[in-house]
Amino acid sequence: MKTEIIDLTEKLLHYNRLFLKYYQEGRENGISYDFHETVKPFSNEVREVNDQWKDAMNAWLKNESVKHIHLKQIDTTREHISQLSIQCFFPETSKTRFLNTHRTIEYFLLEILKVNK
């Protein structure tokens, strides 16, 4: 179980870093991404990993007693990841909100890795 959680969490961290990369490229270069060619396939790929992660985390929390990790945080992080997987392609998205959400995801996922390693 821990190996699966570590693997999925590392994948989500990678995606989170890609969110920031795509967002910054879009803002700096005025890149416009095609929804059907780029946005939808990418968000579907992220959603698949995100859903697997949520299921694994929920199962893990039912079997383990972890002090600073709660089901609500998992749901919130999952929702944030889902949002950013689409918003990263739209540079009109509020920069402050995007960056704050990005940092929140990064922090929580790194905490998961700390607990599981």
Side-chain angles (χ1 to χ4, degrees):
M1 172 91 48
K2 279 191 174 190
T3 309
E4 179 186 19
I5 289 172
I6 291 169
D7 183 48
L8 292 170
T9 302
E10 287 174 345
K11 284 181 184 177
L12 290 178
L13 272 170
H14 173 71
Y15 285 133
N16 194 43
R17 292 172 183 144
L18 284 177
F19 301 158
L20 184 60
K21 176 183 174 262
Y22 293 145
Y23 182 73
Q24 288 174 333
E25 283 177 356
R27 280 185 77 89
E28 292 168 7
N29 304 326
I31 296 172
S32 181
Y33 297 96
D34 182 73
F35 183 79
H36 293 289
E37 287 183 26
T38 308
V39 179
K40 188 167 175 31
F42 180 74
S43 67
N44 287 342
E45 178 183 326
V46 172
R47 185 179 63 234
E48 187 175 314
V49 173
N50 203 9
D51 289 345
Q52 290 173 1
W53 176 80
K54 180 187 177 240
D55 292 342
M57 288 297 296
N58 286 339
W60 176 63
L61 279 181
K62 286 179 185 173
N63 298 324
E64 297 279 331
S65 177
V66 184
K67 257 187 184 175
H68 304 291
I69 298 174
H70 308 284
L71 288 174
K72 179 71 175 150
Q73 291 171 299
I74 293 165
D75 290 338
T76 302
T77 301
R78 181 182 167 280
E79 184 60 34
H80 286 330
I81 290 169
S82 179
Q83 290 170 357
L84 289 194
S85 71
I86 296 170
Q87 290 176 356
C88 69
F89 294 105
F90 297 97
E92 314 78 52
T93 301
S94 164
K95 184 176 183 181
T96 303
R97 184 170 182 224
F98 183 90
L99 293 176
N100 286 340
T101 304
H102 169 76
R103 279 188 221 108
T104 301
I105 293 167
E106 188 88 6
Y107 176 80
F108 186 69
L109 294 177
L110 288 173
E111 287 300 308
I112 300 271
L113 289 178
K114 282 182 196 174
V115 169
N116 281 290
K117 285 192 174 181

